[in-house]
Amino acid sequence: MAEVGIRKWLITFTVITAATLELVDVTIVNVSLPQIMGNLGATLEDIGWLVTSYAVANVIILPMSGWLGAQFGRKNYFLASIIIFTFASFLCGNAHTLTELIIFRIIQGLAGGGLLSTCQAILLETWPREEIGMATALFGLGAVVGPTIGPTIGGYITDHFSWPWIFYVNIPVGILAAGCVYIFVRGHRHANPMRVDWIGILLLIITVGSLQIFLEKGNGEGWFDTTYIAVLAFVVMIGTILFIWRELSIENPVVNFKILRHRSFALGIVTSFAFGFALYSSTFALPIFCQNLLGFSAQQTGIIIMYGGIATISILPFVGMALKRGIPAQLICVGGMILFLIFTQLMSHFTLSAGLDDFLLPILIRGVGLSLLFVPITTLALQDVPHEELGQATGLNNMMRQLGGSLGIAIITTIISSRMALHHAHLSENVSLNSPQFLQRFNGMVAALTSKGYSISTAKQLAMQSINGSVMKQSYLLTYGDAFWIGGILFMIAMPFIFLQRFKKKIKVAEAH
C-alpha cells in the first residue's frame, strides 16, 4: 500500500539517491577516458569498450529487472543491486589492467540497470495513486541531475585527483543508499518463487547484447562492410524472433510481453523510444559541435549543458503539480515537443561565429522542453499498468528509451559521416577558377600574404589551404544542422502516438498491495 507522512519522503529520497548514483556513473567516466588510456596503456578503440560494456550490461538487465524483483523480492533485489554496484565501483578503482576494468564495469552495468527500474517501481508503489505525476516528476529529477552533474564531477576529480576516484566517490553514496533501503523500504516477496527461464535469459543476453554492440560499433566499423557487424545483425534478427516466441509460449517469462495488451503502455514505449532517440542524439552531438567546431573548452561545454539541466530541474516539480491538478499529459507532451523542435531549429541556424551567450536561449528552451516530456511520457505509458506488472513495465519502458538513445547515436554518427561528404562535395564545386567569388577571395588572400613577405607559390598554397579549411568547417556546420533536425522531426512523427493513448484528466495507477 501507498506510504504517508515522513516515511514516504524518506523512501523517495532513498530511491532518487540510488537512481542518481547510477545515472552519474553513466557520464562521469567519459571525461576521464584520456587519463585512463594513458595510465593503462589503452588505445582509443580499446577504451571505447569501457563505455560500451557498461551500456550493454545495463540494457540487458533492464527488461529482466521486474522478473528479478518478483523472484527475490523487490526490496531484496534493490538492496543487492546497490551493494553490488558499490562494491564493483571499488573494484573499478583498483583495476590494474583495462581487461579488469571492463569486467568490473560489466558488473557495475548489471547492478545499475537493476537500480534504475526497481527504484522507479518502488517510487510508484510508495506514492498514492492520484499522485503518480508528482512521483514520476521526482524520479525525473534524479534522472536529470545525474547526467547533468556527472561530467562536472568527473572533470573536477580528474583534474585534482586521479581517475580511480571517479569510482571511489560512489562508495559513501552507495553505503548511505543501502542503509536507507534496509531501514525504510518495506519488503514484499512473490508468494511462490517462479521457475527460472534459463533459455529466455540466454536469448535475452545474446539478442540485446548483440544489438547494443551493433549500434555502438556499427558506424566506426563501416556497418555491413565488417564481417562481425553483419554477423551481429543476423544474430539480432534471429534472436529477436526466438526470444519473443519463447516468452509468449511459457508460463513465467523473463520479459512479460503480455503487458503490451495495455494500449497506453504499448503506445507509450514507442514515445519513450522517440524520447530516448532525441535526448541522447542531441546530448551526443552538442559537445562535439561545441568543442570540435566552435573551439569551446570542455569546461565551457559543461557550463552550457548545466544551464539546460538547471532549467529542467526547476520546471519538473511544476509538471508534477500540473498533472496532479488534472492537466492532460498529452497537452504537456505537445508543449515539450514543440519546444524541442524550436531548440533543433535554432541550433541548425548557428554560424561559426557563435559564442557562449548564443547558446543560452536554445539550451534553456531544450531544458524546459525535456521537463515537459520526461514525466508525461512515462506517466502515460504506465497509467493503465496494474501494480503486479509495474516492475516489468518500468524495466521494458526504460530499455526502450535506452535503445532509442543507442539507435539515435548510431544514426547521428552515420548522418554526420554521410552528410559531411555530401555537403563538402557540394561546397567544393564553388572552389573553382570559373567562380568569380572564389577568384576574388583567392586573389585577395594571395595579395595579403605576399605583402607579408611570402613568395607567390607559398602564398597560393597557404591561401588554398585556408579556403579548404573554411569549406571543411562550413560542411561540418551544415552537417550538424542536419543532425539536430533529425531528433526534432522524429518527435513530430511520434506525436500521434501520444493522442492515441487514453485521454485522462487525472491519471491513476492501481493501488499497491
Side-chain angles (χ1 to χ4, degrees):
M1 59 182 295
E3 302 286 355
V4 295
I6 188 65
R7 190 183 188 93
K8 178 178 74 173
W9 289 102
L10 288 170
I11 294 175
T12 300
F13 168 79
T14 300
V15 297
I16 290 177
T17 300
T20 304
L21 178 70
E22 196 273 339
L23 289 163
V24 164
D25 220 66
V26 173
T27 55
I28 196 174
V29 174
N30 295 347
V31 294
S32 301
L33 292 180
Q35 191 183 89
I36 297 174
M37 287 173 61
N39 189 256
L40 298 181
T43 64
L44 183 62
E45 182 178 347
D46 292 336
I47 206 69
W49 287 104
L50 195 61
V51 178
T52 301
S53 62
Y54 184 89
V56 169
N58 216 243
V59 174
I60 286 173
I61 207 69
L62 278 171
M64 292 175 55
S65 57
W67 176 81
L68 290 167
Q71 184 81 353
F72 301 105
R74 192 165 290 161
K75 175 181 178 178
N76 294 336
Y77 175 55
F78 189 47
L79 184 60
S81 296
I82 295 173
I83 293 172
I84 293 171
F85 185 91
T86 305
F87 184 62
S89 298
F90 171 77
L91 294 176
C92 286
N94 278 272
H96 295 95
T97 65
L98 183 64
T99 302
E100 288 181 9
L101 188 54
I102 290 173
I103 291 172
F104 298 146
R105 282 287 282 173
I106 291 173
I107 297 173
Q108 244 193 345
L110 292 172
L115 283 178
L116 198 59
S117 291
T118 311
C119 74
Q120 191 174 7
I122 291 174
L123 198 61
L124 292 173
E125 286 183 332
T126 300
W127 282 68
R129 56 182 180 177
E130 66 273 11
E131 297 180 2
I132 180 177
M134 180 60 75
T136 309
L138 291 170
F139 176 78
L141 189 66
V144 171
V145 168
T148 300
I149 67 175
T152 306
I153 295 174
Y156 180 84
I157 290 174
T158 303
D159 289 343
H160 294 84
F161 300 96
S162 58
W163 68 262
W165 283 96
I166 65 174
F167 299 108
Y168 292 150
V169 74
N170 294 332
I171 296 174
V173 181
I175 293 173
L176 173 64
C180 290
V181 169
Y182 182 78
I183 296 170
F184 300 119
V185 177
R186 300 185 192 277
H188 302 283
R189 185 165 183 174
H190 199 281
N192 298 305
M194 299 171 287
R195 290 183 59 187
V196 178
D197 177 22
W198 293 111
I199 295 177
I201 292 174
L202 181 62
L203 286 172
L204 176 66
I205 292 172
I206 292 173
T207 303
V208 178
S210 298
L211 176 60
Q212 188 72 10
I213 295 173
F214 172 79
L215 294 174
E216 294 266 353
K217 297 293 182 180
N219 185 68
E221 299 288 353
W223 294 110
F224 295 99
D225 294 338
T226 307
T227 302
Y228 92 89
I229 294 295
V231 171
L232 285 174
F234 179 77
V235 170
V236 170
M237 182 177 64
I238 299 300
T240 300
I241 295 171
L242 292 175
F243 180 66
I244 293 174
W245 172 80
R246 170 72 182 180
E247 299 308 281
L248 291 175
S249 62
I250 64 172
E251 184 178 351
N252 296 309
V254 176
V255 178
N256 182 16
F257 286 112
K258 293 177 182 177
I259 59 177
L260 294 175
R261 71 185 184 278
H262 303 296
R263 178 180 171 182
S264 287
F265 181 75
L267 295 168
I269 61 174
V270 176
T271 51
S272 291
F273 183 90
F275 177 71
F277 186 107
L279 174 63
Y280 284 87
S281 61
S282 63
T283 303
F284 171 79
L286 185 61
I288 301 175
F289 176 73
C290 291
Q291 295 181 54
N292 291 4
L293 192 59
L294 300 181
F296 292 177
S297 67
Q299 183 177 350
Q300 288 173 321
T301 306
I303 291 172
I304 291 172
I305 296 173
M306 185 177 66
Y307 285 148
I310 291 172
T312 304
I313 293 167
S314 302
I315 300 299
L316 272 172
F318 296 101
V319 176
M321 288 188 285
L323 289 169
K324 185 178 178 181
R325 293 183 178 182
I327 298 177
Q330 284 89 341
L331 297 183
I332 300 175
C333 277
V334 169
M337 288 182 173
I338 291 173
L339 288 176
F340 199 89
L341 187 63
I342 293 172
F343 158 74
T344 59
Q345 192 270 341
L346 290 173
M347 292 297 298
S348 67
H349 286 84
F350 267 33
T351 66
L352 293 173
S353 61
L356 285 173
D357 294 340
D358 297 310
F359 279 86
L360 184 59
L361 179 60
I363 287 298
L364 290 177
I365 290 174
R366 177 181 182 270
V368 175
L370 291 178
S371 68
L372 299 180
L373 286 166
F374 182 87
V375 176
I377 284 176
T378 305
T379 302
L380 284 170
L382 302 176
Q383 62 178 323
D384 294 329
V385 178
H387 157 72
E388 61 273 11
E389 294 178 327
L390 270 179
Q392 287 273 10
T394 54
L396 195 54
N397 187 58
N398 285 323
M399 185 193 76
M400 290 301 294
R401 185 173 63 249
Q402 185 77 18
L403 286 178
S406 297
L407 181 62
I409 292 173
I411 289 178
I412 288 300
T413 53
T414 303
I415 288 173
I416 289 174
S417 298
S418 60
R419 296 294 291 179
M420 173 61 194
L422 181 65
H423 286 306
H424 188 269
H426 177 69
L427 293 175
S428 295
E429 293 175 359
N430 298 315
V431 182
S432 168
L433 295 176
N434 297 321
S435 171
Q437 293 86 354
F438 166 74
L439 284 175
Q440 182 180 2
R441 182 175 180 183
F442 179 75
N443 291 331
M445 294 177 70
V446 170
L449 289 167
T450 53
S451 68
K452 294 180 179 179
Y454 291 97
S455 66
I456 291 292
S457 60
T458 302
K460 287 183 177 180
Q461 182 180 2
L462 291 175
M464 185 58 70
Q465 288 176 355
S466 177
I467 291 173
N468 285 335
S470 296
V471 169
M472 184 69 71
K473 284 188 174 182
Q474 288 293 337
S475 300
Y476 271 116
L477 185 66
L478 293 171
T479 299
Y480 280 105
D482 296 340
F484 283 117
W485 261 111
I486 294 295
I489 291 173
L490 183 67
F491 257 155
M492 294 300 103
I493 295 173
M495 188 180 292
F497 290 94
I498 291 175
F499 288 100
L500 290 173
Q501 290 174 280
R502 284 218 296 165
F503 202 97
K504 294 182 179 181
K505 285 191 174 181
K506 287 193 176 182
I507 296 177
K508 300 178 181 180
V509 289
E511 186 71 61
H513 299 289

